[in-house]
Amino acid sequence: MNSSARPALYRNFHRLAWFALIMTASTILFGSFVRLSDAGLSCPDWPTCYGRVTWPQTQVEAAQHVASEIRPLESHKAWREQVHRFLAGLLGVEVLALALLAARRRKRGIAQIVTASVLVALAIPLYMRGEHVASSILAIGGEAILLLAALRWSNIDLARAAVLTLAVVVFQALLGMWTVTWLLKPIVVMGHLLGGMLMFGMLVWMAWKATHLPITLAEAPRLRWWLRAAVALVVMQIALGGWVSANYAALACGGGSASLDNFPRCVSQWWPQQNYSEGFTLWRGIGVDYEGGVLDGASRIAIQMAHRMMAVVVALYLLVLSVRLFRLPGMRGWATALGALLVLQITLGILNVKLSLPLVVAVMHSGGAVALLFVLVTLLARLRAPE
């Protein structure tokens, strides 16, 4: 796609893309709130909550469903999980609308998207009835239709990007289901976070392309390579952060005091005992309840230390990138924003340890990652060389 060409889009496509982008960021942050408040398993069934579209208010209501045998109702947590599902469902409808609008002029474009969506929709009641194999076949079939369409189509009208985003939404729904049914399995929890970030990044790119406000810069081609590397590093750090959270390793080095023993040292040592092999075992089977974590101290310390070391690498790279941006005409505002977000994110990470992971600070830390990704993908979408 020619970066200077404006895609032929439905006139309100950019508005819908920006709304979906805001909804995605909100869903990611609310999902962080759910995870960090230990509400991820508060509705043991999916997509209902103790068999209800909303959530039960009393133990008597919950006892009427078989899910009560898996986990007793905690009504102060159940609403969080189910509201998160509502937000995700609304977001799915918005992305579906984007895909339909983007592909409306493609040959059989709408028919393919509707067919895929119907297959996925039919998979849900099958899953609820326990017909998991049939449900999986339908969901995989829907995903395959979307991916094949994206491979065939160009992106001049953002059809490929929109359909790929819809495919990510479908897979996100599967990950959300597995998060519950596989009892907060860390690889699934981390994957669910990365899927949300991927969807956010794709929507940022689509929103800017649809809005068409390019930044013309002679250094754009080289700078785009710097930005691609920055996005890759930030995503790796987000993945590590998700692994820390999923394995309950945020306070593995200690916390709750201003002492240097928990940061920059770890359990009063600069290099404590660490078990990277156990800490980074991605697959541990199904059937284990991972709420609260199952790893020993050395394994959790390894995860926390890896996150800290990667943070140093990412911070140094983004600092250099900020300096490069600051020296370019018209880019000082972006350089300042990137530098300020970097400082804020580092500060929030340290405060998470020093204050023993307060919920507000922890959610803000997730928000900082979203903001950094927004700045980097925005520059990737908008920068172009002079014609």
Side-chain angles (χ1 to χ4, degrees), residues 51-337:
R52 294 173 177 266
V53 175
T54 55
W55 55 89
Q57 304 296 321
T58 65
Q59 293 288 348
V60 174
E61 293 175 342
Q64 298 171 5
H65 193 267
V66 69
S68 62
E69 299 176 7
I70 302 174
R71 178 177 291 263
L73 171 67
E74 296 179 275
S75 58
H76 65 288
K77 292 183 179 181
W79 71 268
R80 305 173 189 182
E81 173 64 10
Q82 202 64 357
V83 167
H84 181 236
R85 295 175 185 179
F86 291 158
L87 290 173
L90 178 59
L91 177 58
V93 173
E94 293 167 4
V95 174
L96 173 60
L98 281 173
L100 289 170
L101 288 173
R104 72 192 190 283
R105 294 176 180 170
R106 299 281 179 168
K107 185 178 181 180
R108 294 188 294 275
I110 290 181
Q112 292 177 71
I113 293 172
V114 170
T115 300
S117 301
V118 168
L119 289 176
V120 173
L122 290 174
I124 296 174
L126 286 176
Y127 174 83
M128 294 173 67
R129 290 204 299 265
E131 300 177 36
H132 296 168
V133 174
S135 174
S136 299
I137 291 173
L138 288 179
I140 291 171
E143 281 281 72
I145 292 172
L146 295 174
L147 293 174
L148 288 172
L151 288 174
R152 289 197 307 270
W153 296 341
S154 69
N155 208 37
I156 188 65
D157 51 3
L158 299 183
R160 175 180 292 172
V163 171
L164 282 175
T165 305
L166 181 59
V168 173
V169 169
V170 173
F171 193 63
Q172 273 291 88
L174 293 174
L175 287 171
M177 175 187 70
W178 294 330
T179 296
V180 175
T181 57
W182 291 357
L183 304 175
L184 300 182
K185 189 172 183 60
I187 189 66
V188 176
V189 174
M190 183 184 71
H192 197 45
L193 172 64
L194 288 178
M197 292 294 184
L198 172 61
M199 188 164 58
F200 177 76
M202 294 174 74
L203 284 166
V204 171
W205 191 88
M206 272 198 296
W208 281 118
K209 287 297 183 182
T211 305
H212 195 69
L213 289 174
I215 299 174
T216 304
L217 205 63
E219 295 84 354
R222 180 177 296 181
L223 193 55
R224 286 172 65 85
W225 282 107
W226 275 81
L227 289 166
R228 291 188 185 103
V231 170
L233 287 172
V234 168
V235 168
M236 289 173 62
Q237 181 65 351
I238 290 171
L240 278 172
W243 195 244
V244 169
S245 179
N247 286 281
Y248 299 84
L251 299 178
C253 291
S257 75
S259 169
L260 299 180
D261 290 339
N262 52 43
F263 186 90
R265 292 197 290 263
C266 180
V267 290
S268 305
Q269 302 174 51
W270 288 109
W271 194 253
Q273 182 181 357
Q274 300 160 57
N275 189 340
Y276 284 88
S277 175
E278 190 68 19
F280 287 90
T281 298
L282 300 182
W283 187 263
R284 298 179 183 277
I286 301 172
V288 178
D289 189 341
Y290 290 94
E291 188 171 27
V294 297
L295 300 179
D296 60 18
S299 302
R300 298 193 201 204
I301 286 173
I303 296 171
Q304 174 64 208
M305 291 295 286
H307 186 53
R308 292 184 182 188
M309 289 185 289
M310 188 63 186
V312 174
V313 174
V314 174
L316 290 175
Y317 186 91
L318 293 183
L319 180 61
V320 173
L321 177 58
S322 297
V323 172
R324 288 182 66 91
L325 287 171
F326 195 81
R327 292 174 177 173
L328 296 175
M331 299 301 292
R332 288 190 173 185
W334 289 107
T336 302

